[in-house]
Amino acid sequence: MDMNKFGFLSLGLIGGSIAYAIRQIYPDAQLVAYARRQSTLDEALAAGAIDAGTTEINELFSDCDMIFLCAPVAVNNQLLKQLKPIVSRQTIITDVGSVKGSIHETVTRLGLDSQFIGGHPMAGSEKTGFSNASSILIENAYYVITPTETVSQEAIAEYYSFVKKMGAIPLILDYHEHDYVTAAISHVPHLVAAALANLVHDHDSANETMKMIAAGGFKDITRIASSSPEMWESICMSNTENIANLLDDYIASLQTISRAVRSKQEGFTFDLFTASKEYRDSFADLPKGPIKKIFACYVDIPDEAGAIASLATLLAKADISIRNIGIIHNRDFEEGVLRIEFYGQDALDEAIALLRSLHYSVYPRK
């Protein structure tokens, strides 16, 4: 299939990132987009991510080679109904949703099975919207492909190749398996993070002591609680059974832990952390998943004027860009007083090597 025209129905973080990636691999292709707000289209046009935009689903999309549904799951189903009378039978329709069952069922009801291939780039951020899109967001991330039973093998192969060109790692799964897997490794963890953040909020004192001294460990585990409420409402309403069943199992495990802790069962928590550490350490360096990997290290520096500025200058002179930097006030779980976050693994590795060569004590983040 010649890729000459791509359409986007909604243009947020993921859709915008894919549009930017397409710009790099198909510089001459035409990109068109629908969005509810004209301001989003204006921003995308100004950034060069798209060539044309509309606030209505119309004939602009009739001759696309590929169309991406990039709205929340429930909204994608409605967009698909509006798209059906317009779209060409030669167009491959895909989506980027993290729940596949609902969209596949809608595709079947509309008789679009022969031209639909579900897609889920397993990358993202707690930040949302087109303004946070990046051409490298999905690089080295798994990109799950869920074809229908009737779409051609040729179309699947072309889609697989397209995903690889964007720098992602294609993985073909049945959509039922996809929804169970993502419930376990993404949907339930997001709910747990939200519940833990709210637990601390509800038990904090009036002067917010807990919030003030929250350590890096707490911030890391609850970071994804800042994700889009609209998106997660849609996910939970779409992947209900898988999420509820796994939550029940997780609650049962927490109850077991609670009983063991309350009764001071010797060796229980030791075995618990031994098993979890062994498992967690086994995949710490795998490609990005739905919970975005952070490239950071901790550095011991003296508490004196100019120490942070000197370190930042050393990294700048070596052309190593810093994404974020801050002092750790609670070091219960951190070995260094200064936390430095970078944009990628290469920059982190270079920074660690440079700082250690200059006799700084550096501790990589696991």
Side-chain angles (χ1 to χ4, degrees):
M1 179 194 300
D2 292 329
M3 297 289 191
N4 298 314
K5 187 175 181 180
F6 296 85
F8 292 84
L9 301 189
S10 192
L11 200 62
L13 175 71
I14 300 298
S17 297
I18 291 174
Y20 279 131
I22 289 173
R23 274 285 184 238
Q24 294 187 343
I25 60 177
Y26 298 108
D28 298 325
Q30 183 182 10
L31 278 70
V32 298
Y34 155 85
R36 289 181 300 169
R37 292 184 292 271
Q38 184 63 44
S39 58
T40 300
L41 298 172
D42 292 341
E43 184 180 1
L45 287 164
I50 61 174
D51 300 294
T54 176
T55 55
E56 297 180 354
I57 298 175
N58 54 33
E59 295 298 326
L60 186 64
F61 301 95
S62 63
D63 59 346
C64 289
D65 297 302
M66 184 176 290
I67 293 178
F68 293 85
L69 306 173
C70 303
V73 176
V75 178
N76 278 341
N77 292 336
Q78 297 302 317
L79 295 176
L80 196 57
K81 294 175 184 176
Q82 297 177 55
L83 186 64
K84 182 184 177 181
I86 298 169
V87 70
S88 164
R89 297 297 296 180
Q90 280 68 53
T91 299
I92 290 298
I93 304 170
T94 186
D95 75 319
V96 298
S98 65
V99 180
K100 300 263 79 79
S102 177
I103 192 72
H104 272 269
E105 290 166 4
T106 302
V107 163
T108 298
R109 284 198 305 269
L110 295 174
L112 294 170
D113 297 70
S114 63
Q115 58 188 118
F116 182 80
I117 301 175
H120 178 199
M122 300 190 71
S125 168
E126 65 274 18
K127 296 180 179 179
T128 60
F130 176 82
S131 58
N132 293 297
S134 166
S135 63
I136 63 171
L137 183 72
I138 63 174
E139 282 188 2
N140 299 315
Y142 283 115
Y143 196 120
V144 180
I145 300 170
T146 61
T148 65
E149 293 183 359
T150 57
V151 71
S152 72
Q153 291 301 311
E154 180 184 4
I156 297 171
E158 288 171 343
Y159 193 102
Y160 191 97
S161 176
F162 166 74
V163 168
K164 291 185 69 174
K165 286 179 181 177
M166 290 194 295
I169 304 169
L171 176 65
I172 298 176
L173 292 178
D174 173 80
Y175 75 86
H176 299 94
E177 180 182 7
H178 166 275
D179 285 358
Y180 184 69
V181 169
T182 54
I185 56 96
S186 177
H187 305 164
V188 167
H190 275 80
L191 288 169
V192 169
L196 184 56
N198 289 333
L199 175 73
V200 171
H201 170 271
D202 295 343
H203 289 77
D204 207 351
S205 58
N207 59 0
E208 297 187 321
T209 303
M210 291 182 184
K211 179 180 179 180
M212 180 175 66
I213 66 173
F218 177 80
K219 291 179 180 178
D220 279 350
I221 199 171
T222 58
R223 176 175 49 84
I224 56 177
S226 297
S227 299
S228 164
E230 179 185 21
M231 179 181 73
W232 282 98
E233 169 79 3
S234 182
I235 288 171
C236 290
M237 294 301 100
S238 301
N239 201 18
T240 307
E241 280 300 308
N242 286 321
I243 292 172
N245 289 338
L246 286 163
L247 271 177
D248 287 345
D249 288 347
Y250 180 61
I251 291 168
S253 72
L254 288 179
Q255 290 173 333
T256 300
I257 294 169
S258 177
R259 288 192 294 270
V261 171
R262 191 179 297 277
S263 64
K264 297 184 179 181
Q265 183 177 330
E266 188 173 350
F268 181 90
T269 52
F270 180 88
D271 292 342
L272 176 72
F273 280 101
T274 297
S276 65
K277 173 178 169 53
E278 180 179 341
Y279 182 63
R280 175 61 177 82
D281 289 351
S282 72
F283 58 76
D285 295 323
L286 289 177
K288 291 184 291 184
I291 301 176
K292 190 176 181 183
K293 184 175 180 180
I294 293 177
F295 306 95
C297 65
Y298 298 89
V299 184
D300 272 331
I301 58 171
D303 183 11
E304 59 187 30
I308 296 177
S310 297
L311 187 147
T313 300
L314 288 171
L315 294 173
K317 286 182 177 179
D319 292 324
I320 301 173
S321 297
I322 296 174
R323 181 172 184 171
N324 201 0
I325 188 168
I327 296 172
I328 302 298
H329 295 290
N330 181 329
R331 295 178 61 190
D332 283 346
F333 302 102
E334 325 297 357
E335 295 172 293
V337 69
L338 191 69
R339 182 183 187 278
I340 313 174
E341 185 178 336
F342 302 91
Y343 285 95
Q345 188 66 50
D346 291 344
L348 172 61
D349 293 342
E350 291 175 21
I352 291 173
L354 172 64
L355 295 175
R356 283 178 173 169
S357 73
L358 298 172
H359 307 295
Y360 282 90
S361 296
V362 184
Y363 310 93
R365 177 189 185 278
K366 293 183 179 180

